[in-house]
Amino acid sequence: PAAHAAFHRRLLAALLRYKTLRGGGFHAGVGDPLAAVLKERLGCAFECFASSLNARAPRFGTAFPDVDAVFGGTGDFFGAALPAGAAVSVNPPFEPATLAAAAAACVAAVAAADAAKSPLTIAFVCPAWREGAAWKALSAPGVAEATVVAAAADHGFRDGAPHGAADPYRQSPYYSGLFVLRSKAAAAKRPLDAPAFEAAVRAAWAACCPSPAAVARQRAGRGSKDVRAWGDGPAAHAQKKRPGAGTAGGGPERKKRKGGSGQAAAAAEA
C-alpha cells in the first residue's frame, strides 16, 4: 500500500507537470512505426527529447528529471555531450532557438566522434523551416548522410499524452525533415541503403497519419485552432510571442519538453 501510494503521488506529479503544458499536442513524439525504422536501420534506441508519458525506452532524455527520473528520465539534452558510440533520435521542440541549439550540438558531436574515430549516429527530426538556423546547419554540404522531407499531409506524430487521447496520432501542420548524421566509423559499421531507408521512413510516417475523423476531432479541440492561426514558420511564431506557439517536435503543437543526457544514451546502447 505504501509503495502504491508513493507511485500514485509520483504519477500525479508527472501528469500535472505535462498538463500545465496544455496537453499532449505540446510534447508529441515520433510515431511508433518511425521509431521502429530508426531502431532497425540505425540502431537508435534512445530518445534525447521525450517524457515519461511518451518515451518508449527504459531510459530517455527529459526536461523535467524532477518528475521523470523515477520513470527513467535522465536529464536535459543540453546538460551533457552525446557520447561516442551512441545511436539516438533527436526530436526537439519546434521552436527556433531550441532547434538551432540542438542542431549545432549534434553537428559538433559528430565532428568530435570523427576526430576520435568512434561511432555516433543521430536521427534528427525537425520542421522544414528552410530559413531557420537549424535547417541550414543540418542541410549544409557533408553534414547529413541521408535526408527525408515529408509533406504535412503525409505524416503525423504520436500524441504526447496517449493515456488520455482519443487518437494516438496527430496531423502535422508543417513539412518535416529527418536528417541522418553519422560519424565515419558509424557509417562503416552499419552501411545505409539510402533509397530503401527513405522508402521505409515515408511508409512509417504515412502510418502515423490520423484518420480524417481524428483530424476533425483535433481541430475542434483547444490548441489545433491556435496552430492554424499562428502560421507556419519561425516568423509567425515570433510575432505571436505566446507560450506554446509553434508545433510539437513532430506534432501539431509545440512540445515543451527539452531533452536528455547523452550519457544515458551510451547506457541504453550498452
Side-chain angles (χ1 to χ4, degrees):
H4 288 173
F7 168 76
H8 289 153
R9 286 194 298 270
R10 291 168 175 172
L11 177 60
L12 178 62
L15 290 172
L16 291 176
R17 176 65 56 83
Y18 288 104
K19 184 64 175 177
T20 64
L21 304 183
R22 296 183 62 191
F26 287 87
H27 48 101
V30 298
D32 293 342
L34 180 57
V37 168
L38 297 180
K39 183 174 182 179
E40 177 185 357
R41 295 180 180 266
L42 298 175
C44 297
F46 182 88
E47 293 176 280
C48 293
F49 290 78
S51 78
S52 54
L53 304 184
N54 66 10
R56 298 167 189 79
R59 304 288 285 172
F60 57 91
T62 174
F64 305 118
D66 59 321
V67 296
D68 282 342
V70 68
F71 300 110
T74 61
D76 190 343
F77 169 77
F78 298 108
L82 288 172
V88 304
S89 62
V90 178
N91 180 37
F94 282 15
E95 186 278 320
T98 303
L99 287 166
C106 289
V107 171
V110 172
D114 273 333
K117 298 182 179 180
S118 58
L120 176 62
T121 297
I122 301 171
F124 196 109
V125 178
C126 66
W129 293 342
R130 298 175 187 273
E131 75 280 14
W135 189 272
K136 290 179 179 179
L138 296 169
S139 61
V143 171
E145 180 180 348
T147 303
V148 183
V149 180
D154 294 337
H155 72 297
F157 289 84
R158 188 169 184 262
D159 193 286
H163 63 285
D167 309 292
Y169 297 113
R170 289 173 171 261
Q171 186 71 53
S172 175
Y174 306 122
Y175 277 56
S176 296
L178 188 154
F179 295 86
V180 177
L181 285 66
R182 298 204 293 177
S183 65
K184 294 180 178 64
K189 182 179 180 180
R190 196 169 192 155
L192 182 67
D193 183 336
F197 175 74
E198 178 174 353
V201 168
R202 291 191 182 282
W205 250 338
C208 300
C209 287
S211 67
V215 172
R217 281 192 294 272
Q218 292 164 12
R219 287 179 175 172
R222 189 180 75 175
S224 294
K225 292 179 182 178
D226 296 334
V227 169
R228 293 199 301 278
W230 290 336
D232 60 358
H237 169 85
Q239 290 171 0
K240 292 301 176 181
K241 295 182 180 178
R242 60 180 290 183
T247 133
E253 301 154 79
R254 172 182 160 200
K255 55 184 177 191
K256 287 284 193 175
R257 58 191 172 87
K258 292 195 173 177
S261 166
Q263 293 177 341
E269 291 299 303

